[in-house]
Amino acid sequence: MSHRQGWLEGWRLLAALVVSLIALSLGIAAIRHFEVEGVRMVIRFTARSSLTLFCLAFSAGALARLWPNAWTRWQHRNRRYLGLSFAASHAIHAAAIVAFARMDPAGFAEATSAASYIFGGIGYAAIIAMSATSFDRTAALLGSRAFRALHLVGGYYLWLQFMVSFGKRVPAMPLYAAFLLPLLAVMALRLIAMAAHPRGRTAEAN
């Protein structure tokens, strides 16, 4: 069945989101005159924008199966571009982290650990691999089975990393528990969708 597509679809959606993320990040940094605190505000902003975009992409298949409507069909059609927007958000996040490390080495060392380097590095490797294979040609070169495995394992790893990253802040800042709710919701949606459509598990996982 064909669906009427609006203007904000595909590459236009990706471009609009990326331009917005860059503009907002620059604006946030400018509030503090591009000093260390402004950079740290960008790190926090992009962590949250990445969470939002990840949840939209990660839940797209499940929502389209469970509640097919205009919104979920749009979300499902554009999950590739939502995923690439998530990657762009996390690229800005990485750039802000590098800026923080260069501007305040002592503060950066205090805020990070060996575990953050290891598990964060794995997460970025997964994002790069998933982004690189989010195009028809590279996906075809990889093969459908390897593509599904990469995006399934990568998606669940990133979900777990978000859970740990936001969850570890809850004891000191209880309001951070609110960021865990969308993560738990998208996981529940995927599990419900897999239970309701057992034959579509593989397709839904992508």
Side-chain angles (χ1 to χ4, degrees):
M1 180 183 297
S2 62
H3 300 285
R4 183 179 178 183
Q5 295 191 11
W7 184 87
L8 199 61
E9 302 257 359
W11 294 108
R12 287 190 292 265
L13 172 64
L14 176 62
L17 287 171
V18 172
V19 169
S20 297
L21 287 166
I22 293 171
L24 287 168
S25 296
L26 289 173
I28 290 167
I31 291 172
R32 296 301 180 92
H33 308 288
F34 296 95
E35 295 179 351
V36 174
E37 185 52 38
V39 170
R40 297 191 73 168
M41 289 169 65
V42 172
I43 291 172
R44 291 190 290 271
F45 163 70
T46 50
R48 295 163 191 178
S49 62
S50 293
L51 171 67
T52 301
L53 291 164
F54 171 80
C55 286
L56 286 171
F58 197 56
S59 63
L63 283 170
R65 288 174 180 274
L66 294 171
W67 294 291
N69 55 51
W71 164 258
T72 58
R73 284 192 290 269
W74 177 91
Q75 185 181 353
H76 189 255
R77 282 197 309 273
N78 290 285
R79 62 181 174 173
R80 172 188 299 185
Y81 307 99
L82 292 168
L84 289 170
S85 299
F86 155 68
S89 175
H90 235 50
I92 300 170
H93 184 71
I97 290 173
V98 171
F100 174 37
R102 296 189 64 166
M103 295 171 71
D104 184 9
F108 177 76
E110 184 179 352
T112 56
S113 64
S116 65
Y117 282 108
I118 294 169
F119 295 107
I122 295 171
Y124 271 103
I127 292 169
I128 292 169
M130 293 168 72
S131 299
T133 55
S134 290
F135 304 91
D136 293 339
R137 181 170 296 180
T138 52
L141 288 171
L142 184 63
S144 60
R145 182 174 296 182
F147 174 88
R148 286 193 296 267
L150 170 62
H151 284 254
L152 177 64
V153 174
Y156 280 109
Y157 179 84
L158 293 170
W159 178 87
L160 179 61
Q161 191 174 37
F162 272 119
M163 285 291 295
V164 172
S165 179
F166 284 99
K168 69 183 182 182
R169 290 170 169 79
V170 172
M173 293 174 282
L175 288 178
Y176 263 78
F179 294 110
L180 302 182
L181 297 178
L183 290 165
L184 294 171
V186 297
M187 181 59 72
L189 286 169
R190 288 178 69 95
L191 294 175
I192 293 167
M194 285 191 287
H197 303 276
R199 292 183 180 180
R201 289 181 182 183
T202 302
E204 189 277 327
N206 294 330

